[in-house]
Amino acid sequence: MRGVDVNGTRTGERTGRTGAGQARPAGFGREVAAEWVRQASLRSTWWCVGAAILGLAVFAAMMGFSSLSRITENAIEADSSSFVQLLSQGHFYIVQFTVLTLAALAATGEFGNGSVTSTLLWTPRRGRLLAARSVVTAGLAFVMGLGATAAGVAVLALFLGRYVDVDVLELLGTGVSAGVCMALFAVVFVGIGTALRGTAGTITVGFLLLLGVPLVMQLSGVVFLDDLAALLPGLAGIEFYAGGDVGFYTSPHDGAVNVATVVGWAVAAQIVALAELRVRDV
């Protein structure tokens, strides 16, 4: 048997017995279960989940109050108010960064405290460890995206429910899309974190990819750079879950390209992470 101590470090043996004293490696399901126990035992995991949901609720309250003020002054403003637009902006400015923090801590925590040596001794198949870590973090990120959307809808309904028409199916689609996109972001940043092996470096690179670099490229005023910025995960992601109703940004690419862009970043990050994990000692 194996387990996880109070610090989220794996303990115990990672092999099962097939009989006659012959050991076999733990299966992928058990690896996922062990990774889930490790992440679930860390308070930082639940701080990130709570920050995503509470953060979007607060964002929705501020945007809802602002929109309500405009509508009470001019009823025509209600026609331009969109739940999808406001929620997507909340995911862009708040939720994606909580997912970045969650994934960075999940990927680099064991490198920071040195327990990764024991983990890799217990799990010689490094690709399996990376896959299990990515699956668990992606699952948590999906819950963060979906849960934050639900909280945001509830808060916006309190402010704008009497004035703005709500399409339930459209909001459901936004929530699922946000969850899927946040899950893919988690895969991206688990990959980057595994390759960089440092929390600060992972968060810095993630912030630049999600917000810093695309803003600078747009500020340049060069059309080519502006179009290229749309292929970075932050802008492609918001087009993904907003379905083209971003509000402050119009992508030069349609929905399918944006989905493929985010998936491509996830695949590329995992390939780099696996290569680094296999060739470098800890």
Side-chain angles (χ1 to χ4, degrees), residues 29-118:
R30 294 181 64 187
E31 190 62 46
V32 170
E35 183 63 27
W36 162 253
V37 172
R38 185 184 76 86
Q39 293 199 36
S41 68
L42 299 174
R43 283 182 295 180
S44 60
T45 297
W46 302 111
W47 275 109
C48 290
V49 174
I53 296 173
L54 180 62
L56 190 51
V58 172
F59 179 89
M62 291 189 292
M63 295 299 104
F65 179 77
S66 175
S67 298
L68 180 61
S69 298
R70 292 198 305 272
I71 291 171
T72 52
E73 292 177 0
N74 183 0
I76 298 178
E77 290 288 335
D79 296 335
S80 61
S81 298
S82 166
F83 275 34
V84 170
Q85 191 177 103
L86 295 174
L87 293 170
S88 299
Q89 292 172 4
H91 284 295
F92 182 76
Y93 288 117
I94 294 176
V95 178
Q96 64 178 356
F97 295 107
T98 63
V99 170
L100 166 62
T101 304
L102 171 75
L105 292 173
T108 65
E110 287 193 328
F111 289 101
N113 60 27
S115 60
V116 68
T117 302
S118 300

Side-chain angles (χ1 to χ4, degrees), residues 154-181:
V155 173
L156 284 176
L158 293 175
F159 287 91
L160 305 176
R162 291 175 295 170
Y163 305 98
V164 179
D165 293 333
V166 176
D167 187 328
V168 175
L169 289 179
E170 184 182 35
L171 289 178
L172 182 60
T174 300
V176 173
S177 297
V180 171
C181 189

Side-chain angles (χ1 to χ4, degrees), residues 153-241:
V153 169
V155 173
L156 284 176
L158 293 175
F159 287 91
L160 305 176
R162 291 175 295 170
Y163 305 98
V164 179
D165 293 333
V166 176
D167 187 328
V168 175
L169 289 179
E170 184 182 35
L171 289 178
L172 182 60
T174 300
V176 173
S177 297
V180 171
C181 189
M182 294 305 140
L184 289 170
F185 281 174
V187 174
V188 172
F189 298 123
V190 166
I192 292 175
T194 303
L196 296 180
R197 306 185 176 201
T199 306
T202 303
I203 291 177
T204 300
V205 171
F207 178 82
L208 291 175
L209 285 176
L210 291 174
L211 187 62
V213 174
L215 282 181
V216 170
M217 295 172 77
Q218 288 181 313
L219 287 173
S220 70
V222 179
V223 175
F224 169 74
L225 292 178
D226 192 26
D227 291 348
L228 196 60
L231 298 178
L232 292 173
L235 293 183
I238 191 171
E239 281 289 334
F240 180 174
Y241 48 78

